[in-house]
């Protein structure tokens, strides 16, 4: 099964390189977590059969996307929120009874 890179590209607007690296890492960790019940943590190695059965899928990326945020959009949100709030706060200062 192949990962749909075009779909991931469409869903990662605002992601920078570090965000994409973290997304890939989280998707891989999701794959590993699924196999934790069959991996013997006492062993120094992991059985080749288990390793060969592991593959990162679209589902792993979907789960990883649910827990990630694009860095490039965080700053934009802060600037927009700040730009929106200042005029409102200035307007409210004209009406002291509203702020109470």
């Amino acid at each position: 099964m192949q990962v749909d890179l075009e779909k991931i590209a469409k869903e990662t607007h605002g992601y920078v390189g570090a965000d994409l690296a973290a997304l890939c890492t989280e998707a891989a960790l999701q794959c590993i977590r699924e196999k934790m019940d069959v991996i013997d943590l006492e062993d120094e190695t992991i059985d080749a059969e288990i390793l060969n059965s592991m593959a990162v899928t679209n589902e792993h990326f979907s789960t990883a996307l649910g827990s990630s945020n694009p860095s490039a959009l965080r700053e934009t949100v802060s600037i927009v929120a700040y730009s929106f709030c200042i005029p409102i706060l200035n307007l409210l200062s004209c009406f002291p009874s509203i702020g109470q």
Side-chain angles (χ1 to χ4, degrees):
M1 173 182 273
Q2 288 188 327
V3 174
D4 187 350
L5 295 178
E6 286 188 32
K7 179 182 177 195
I8 292 170
K10 289 176 185 174
E11 294 178 357
T12 53
H13 171 73
Y15 282 62
V16 297
D19 297 332
L20 294 171
L23 178 71
C24 292
T25 299
E26 183 56 34
L29 288 171
Q30 288 295 328
C31 180
I32 292 168
R33 286 182 192 112
E34 288 178 359
K35 298 291 184 179
M36 287 304 292
D37 59 331
V38 294
I39 296 174
D40 186 358
L41 298 176
E42 303 282 324
D43 284 348
E44 290 185 19
T45 61
I46 299 173
D47 186 19
E49 187 177 323
I50 295 171
L51 289 175
N52 290 334
S53 72
M54 297 172 111
V56 178
T57 65
N58 287 319
E59 187 176 327
H60 296 126
F61 274 100
S62 293
T63 302
L65 278 165
S67 63
S68 66
N69 295 309
S71 296
L73 295 182
R74 282 186 218 134
E75 188 173 315
T76 303
V77 170
S78 298
I79 292 169
V80 169
Y82 180 78
S83 300
F84 179 75
C85 290
I86 294 301
I88 292 174
L89 292 174
N90 288 337
L91 179 64
L92 289 175
S93 67
C94 295
F95 302 96
S97 62
I98 293 177
Q100 296 177 351

